[in-house]
Every structure is written in C-alpha cells, then in structure tokens.
Amino acid sequence: MLTELPAHRPVMLDEVVATLSPGPGRTFVDVTVGLGGHAEALLATGATVMGLDRDAAALAQATRRLSRFGARFSAAHASFRELGTVLAARGLVSVDGLLADLGVGSHQLDAPSRGFSFQRPGPLDMRMDERLAPLSEHLAAMTEVTLGEVLWRFGEVPRARRVARAILDGVRAGTIGDTAALAETIARAQGGAGRRSRHHPATRAFQALRILVNDETQELASLLAEAPRHLAPRGRLAVIAFHSLEDRAVKRAFRQLAAACACPGRAEVCTCGAAWSFRLPSRRAVKPADDEIARNPRSRSARLRVLQRRASAARE
Ligand SMILES: C[S@@+](CC[C@H](N)C(=O)[O-])C[C@H]1O[C@@H](n2cnc3c(N)ncnc32)[C@H](O)[C@@H]1O
C-alpha cells in the first residue's frame, strides 16, 4: 500500500511494476528515486532496492519514507555518471532491474525556491544537485550565440536567437532577477510565435535551460552506456522519458544494443553466442493510459521503453 506522501502518484506505476516483476529475493536500482514513489511499490513486493538521486533533499525524504523497509532499501547521493562507481562500491555487479524516471520531479518543479517554475518567482537556479553551477552563473558567462543554440537544440524555442539576446540584455541590465521576470522576458521576445503553442510560452525555454544547468544530455548518455552492463540475465532496464530528445536517445541506444545479437526478437535465451545479448520486449514506447493522463496531465508526454538482457544458452 502506498503512503500519502508524495501527493502525486508516480508516473506509469502499474506499467513499471508489470515490466520489472519485482518480488522477494529480487534486487533493483532506482536511479531516479526522487521521493521514492516507484521504489516504494517495488519494495512493497518484498524486493530489495537501491535508490540513487543527485538531489540530496529528495533522497533524504525518500530515505525517511522508506525506512520501514529496513535494510531492503539503501540510498546513494550520486548522478548517472557515478552509477558504475556506486554499484561497484556496494558490490552490486548485476541486478534484476534498473529504473529511470527521467527529468525533473514535482518536488522540484513545485518548489519556487528551486527555480524550476515560471509560474511563481524563484531564484535563477534550476539545479537538481547543489554540486552544479546555478542558472545565474551560466547566463553570466554565455554569449548570445551559445544561449541561442541551447534554446534551439534543447527546446526548439521559436526565435531562439532573439530570445537569447533579450535574456542576456535583461540579466546584464539587472531586470531579470527571478524566474517570473525571466518567463516574462521570454514570452515577450517570442511574440506571436510563442503564443501558438497550447503551453505557456516559456515552457520550452525553461526546459532547455534546465537541460543545460543539469547537463542532462550527457547524463543520459552515461546512463545508457552504463546501466545495461549491470543487468543480470533476464534483467530489465526501464526508462521513462518526458520529451522527444530524451526518448529518441533511449530508443536509439536500446535498438543498437538489441542489434548486436542475431537471435530472433522474441527469444529470451541467446543461442548465437553473442557476448552481450539484449532484446526489446516491445519495439514501441508504452504511453500512459487515458485515465492516468486525466488524473495527472503532467504524465501526458511520458514514454516508457524497456530493454531486457537475454540469458545465454551456453551458460544456462
Ligand atoms: C521524475 S523524478 C523521479 C520521481 C520518482 N520516480 C518517484 O516516484 O518519486 C526524477 C528524479 O531524478 C533525479 N535525477 C534526474 N537526473 C538525474 C541524474 N542525472 N542523476 C541522478 N538523479 C537524477 C531528479 O533529481 C529527480 O529527483
């Protein structure tokens, strides 16, 4: 049974549990433990979970929330880049499953003091991890060209170059002191182009800036390179992405890994002798059910992809 904390039900919870098949004696790593919603559901089946997060405050809350599971839950303050080191230090060479629920959590988005929100004023921060440089430092050091590229590449922001110039002018003139002023500047610089979307005109730019501050592209690349190596035979890696840039990277990495084995897609045991053999239980991304989207509109863009390591006929 889930406790009342946090207010939001984790995204695609039933789908995640169904694909990872947790249970007693099985071990999982939740690399985005956040407030521990997914981890709690895995632990409730009797499984053991290591929860990793780069957000120390979230990790502390998750640890309190999950303390009733005793030694079956352990926590690590680390980013995806550090996954291999953390697993090695804990003696977790291979596990039955890894879960990544990517992006920013409600605990971060809904806290104005973290600077992720354009709805309420907050500092120009956006860090998931205090070890990183805040948005204000990035903006102080960026040129119009680089900022324009970031806005376009990570957010496909309309009139990206013009928006970049308006942001940097505002920062230098001291008129952009918080996220509300930043959002207003972005909306004004986009003009009619920003109003054509059904979202707030600053949504895409805020996404792009958050990806920059947290180096999310490189972080995801590290995760996709490292996590599959830690799957036990028949183990699964489940990744939930929230925007097309992320989902495309997951799809490409999973397809490349699956292509390295000549066995038929459905086979769960590798007979071709490949050193590492993976399959895609489903070639398409799984989307949230309509009732979940109705309950939690933020889940609308979630896409779940799963990679499974095959057992080897030679070693079975
Ligand atoms: C969407 S929330 C996860 C919510 C969680 N599944 C739950 O049920 O409460 C994403 C979490 O992943 C963390 N995160 C994002 N990128 C990360 C990275 N590169 N390394 C470690 N943690 C990361 C964030 O700090 C955030 O807490």
Side-chain angles (χ1 to χ4, degrees):
M1 207 185 67
L2 296 177
T3 60
E4 69 286 2
L5 249 179
H8 300 282
R9 184 181 156 87
V11 172
M12 303 189 79
L13 182 62
D14 294 340
E15 293 84 345
V16 164
V17 171
T19 201
L20 292 180
S21 316
R26 287 173 64 76
T27 302
F28 297 89
V29 181
D30 181 346
V31 299
T32 51
V33 76
L35 296 188
H38 285 110
E40 182 173 58
L42 300 177
L43 287 157
T45 68
T48 296
V49 176
M50 191 188 88
L52 182 139
D53 206 293
R54 72 192 315 190
D55 184 332
L59 201 63
Q61 279 199 59
T63 304
R64 271 197 302 279
R65 177 185 185 182
L66 303 173
S67 61
R68 70 192 156 96
F69 296 105
R72 283 200 287 114
F73 177 72
S74 60
H77 181 222
S79 77
F80 299 160
R81 273 195 180 87
E82 299 161 295
L83 177 66
T85 319
V86 169
L87 292 180
R90 311 252 171 138
L92 282 172
V93 179
S94 66
V95 293
D96 298 298
L98 292 105
L99 167 66
D101 172 17
L102 297 173
V104 66
S106 316
H107 55 287
Q108 295 159 331
L109 266 179
D110 297 341
S113 63
R114 303 292 299 264
F116 289 101
S117 168
F118 47 76
Q119 318 272 13
R120 282 171 293 165
L124 301 178
D125 191 323
M126 296 196 185
R127 286 171 301 166
M128 292 181 189
D129 188 331
E130 286 183 353
R131 296 175 292 179
L132 299 168
L135 175 61
S136 53
E137 283 182 26
H138 284 274
L139 294 179
M142 284 179 101
T143 65
E144 183 185 314
V145 174
T146 357
L147 181 56
E149 277 167 7
V150 163
L151 293 173
W152 179 247
R153 191 164 153 233
F154 298 151
E156 292 181 3
V157 172
R159 302 187 177 160
R161 187 73 181 269
R162 188 169 141 168
V163 174
R165 191 179 321 131
I167 294 176
L168 294 184
D169 286 350
V171 167
R172 282 169 200 147
T175 54
I176 302 184
D178 61 30
T179 54
L182 176 63
E184 244 179 73
T185 306
I186 293 166
R188 218 177 309 118
Q190 283 181 121
R195 284 193 291 274
R196 278 198 278 279
S197 152
R198 61 195 161 102
H199 302 295
H200 185 287
T203 307
R204 286 161 170 268
F206 267 57
Q207 171 186 296
L209 295 172
R210 192 201 84 210
I211 292 175
L212 165 78
V213 168
N214 295 287
D215 197 12
E216 291 180 34
T217 310
Q218 281 312 309
E219 283 287 326
L220 179 58
S222 302
L223 177 72
L224 294 171
E226 189 67 29
R229 297 184 208 170
H230 296 281
L231 288 174
R234 298 181 200 272
R236 289 185 171 199
L237 166 61
V239 181
I240 304 173
F242 286 86
H243 56 82
S244 54
L245 211 64
E246 267 175 1
D247 184 51
R248 239 178 285 140
V250 178
K251 177 172 154 184
R252 199 175 314 127
F254 282 11
R255 288 199 172 169
Q256 257 173 23
L257 286 165
C261 170
C263 295
R266 256 188 243 156
E268 292 201 16
V269 178
C270 169
T271 49
C272 76
W276 284 89
S277 171
F278 297 96
R279 64 183 283 269
L280 306 173
S282 159
R283 284 191 74 77
R284 287 179 181 277
V286 181
K287 298 180 187 175
D290 292 344
D291 61 335
E292 174 163 8
I293 297 174
R295 229 181 18 245
N296 173 16
R298 273 185 196 164
S299 70
R300 175 182 60 226
S301 45
R303 298 289 176 270
L304 168 68
R305 292 189 187 269
V306 181
L307 178 79
Q308 181 174 38
R309 183 175 169 198
R310 286 194 176 95
S312 155
R315 275 171 252 143
E316 277 215 328

